[in-house]
Amino acid sequence: MNSQPVGVFDSGVGGISVLASLMRELPQERFFYYGDTAHAPYGTKPTEEVNRLVGDVTRHLIGEGIKALVIACNTASAVSAQTLRETYSFPIVAMEPALKPASLLRRDGRVLVLATPVTLALPKFGRLMAHYGEGAERVPCPGLMELVEREDWDGAETYLRELFARYDGQPIDAVVLGCTHYVFLRPIARRLLPETTAIVDGNEGTARQLRHVLEERQLLSGAAVGGYALETSGDPAVTLPVMERLLRLGRQNLTAD
Ligand code: DGL
C-alpha cells in the first residue's frame, strides 16, 4: 500500500508547480499527476460543473490505485474538497490562497490576492478574509491561467503589468499567488513589483501538509527513490511536453524569495 502513488490533479498545468514542491519535500514518493486540460479552466465555470469534473478526475485517479490525493488547484479545493472528504477515506490535501502567511507580512499597505473568480467568490474564501483579510483585496484574474497553459510569458507579463499599474503609487506589502498556475509567474511578478513586496504562495505549505498526513496515517513510502507519471485529458502530444518543461522550471527556480 505505501508504495502506491499519491494522486495530484489540477484543471491543467498549474498543479505541476505543486508537484515540483511535493517532489522536493517527499523525494521517495511516487506521484501520479492528472491535468484536466480538456475541461480547463475551472475558475470561470459554475460550481456544479467543477464538482462533476473533479468527481470524474478523482474516480480516474482511484483507478490508478492512489493512496492519497492532493488537490493541486485552489478552485477545485474551494468547490469540492469538503464533498470529497465526506465521500472517501483516503487522505485528501487541499489548497487555499496563502492569505494567512501573507497577513503576517502586512505592514500598512495592501495585500493583493490573485486567484480565479470562482475561488474568490466562494464562502470558503470569505471566511479566510474575515480572519486574515485586513488590508487585503480580492483580485480575480480571468484569462491568466490560459496564458500559462500556452506558456505565453510575454502575454502574462503584459497582463500583470497592467494589473499592478492599477495600484501605482500605493504600497503593496504582499501579493498572494492564489492559483497554482500563477506560481509559474513568480519570476515575472518579482521583476514587476518593488523588492519590498513579498510574493506568497501555498505550495511549500501543501507539501509539508502532505508529509504530515502521510506520516500520521503511516502511509509514507519506504522506497529509496520515488518518481512521477503525467497524464492529461487534453492532447498528450501537445500537453505532455508543456508539463515536462514546466516541471523542470518548477524544480529549478520557483522557490519562495
Ligand atoms: N490552477 C487552478 C487554481 O489553482 C485553476 C485554474 C483554472 O482552471 O481556472 O485555482
Side-chain angles (χ1 to χ4, degrees):
M1 175 65 175
N2 292 6
S3 63
Q4 292 301 106
V6 174
V8 183
F9 80 90
D10 177 46
S11 58
V13 298
I16 293 281
S17 69
V18 184
L19 177 63
S21 298
L22 298 174
M23 290 172 70
R24 245 192 314 274
E25 177 74 21
L26 294 160
Q28 76 286 6
E29 295 295 334
R30 285 172 55 220
F31 295 97
F32 189 99
Y33 183 89
Y34 189 86
D36 196 9
T37 322
H39 304 110
Y42 284 179
T44 47
K45 284 191 168 62
T47 51
E48 302 72 38
E49 198 177 340
V50 175
N51 240 329
R52 186 178 53 75
L53 293 167
V54 168
D56 290 347
V57 170
T58 304
R59 281 185 290 278
H60 177 70
L61 289 171
I62 290 171
E64 295 294 329
I66 59 169
K67 63 181 175 184
L69 181 67
V70 177
I71 310 176
C73 174
N74 292 266
T75 310
S77 295
V79 175
S80 310
Q82 197 181 334
T83 313
L84 292 181
R85 288 194 175 116
E86 285 162 7
T87 311
Y88 300 109
S89 57
F90 51 79
I92 296 174
V93 174
M95 300 188 74
E96 66 183 12
L99 179 57
K100 186 177 171 183
S103 70
L104 301 173
L105 302 170
R106 180 168 176 267
R107 297 174 299 272
D108 46 13
R110 290 168 192 261
V111 172
L112 304 183
V113 185
L114 277 55
T116 68
V118 167
T119 298
L120 296 176
L122 286 173
K124 189 168 185 286
F125 186 72
R127 288 193 288 276
L128 200 63
M129 279 291 271
H131 278 99
Y132 304 104
E134 207 189 325
E137 198 170 312
R138 293 172 168 91
V139 185
C141 298
L144 187 52
M145 76 77 85
E146 287 87 338
L147 298 174
V148 176
E149 287 287 317
R150 294 200 296 272
E151 300 175 286
D152 181 356
W153 310 123
D154 291 343
E157 178 156 354
T158 304
Y159 190 114
L160 289 179
R161 179 175 293 110
E162 284 170 7
L163 189 153
F164 295 140
R166 287 192 237 148
Y167 301 92
D168 201 21
Q170 305 171 31
I172 302 172
D173 288 332
V175 168
V176 177
L177 304 176
C179 164
T180 54
H181 282 77
Y182 308 166
V183 178
F184 288 111
L185 304 177
R186 177 186 278 272
I188 295 175
R190 187 67 286 163
R191 277 203 303 281
L192 296 173
L193 291 164
E195 251 176 56
T196 48
T197 304
I199 303 175
V200 187
D201 68 64
N203 284 9
E204 302 299 323
T206 301
R208 286 195 297 274
Q209 179 63 14
L210 176 64
R211 168 184 287 287
H212 175 75
V213 297
L214 291 180
E215 263 165 13
E216 200 174 60
R217 301 272 205 106
Q218 303 191 327
L219 284 172
L220 279 174
S221 161
V225 281
Y228 68 92
L230 305 175
E231 197 183 348
T232 172
S233 57
D235 180 353
V238 175
T239 306
L240 291 181
V242 179
M243 286 176 163
E244 290 285 2
R245 273 197 295 278
L246 291 180
L247 184 58
R248 271 200 300 281
L249 193 69
R251 296 182 79 181
Q252 280 158 19
N253 63 4
L254 292 171
T255 45
D257 46 17

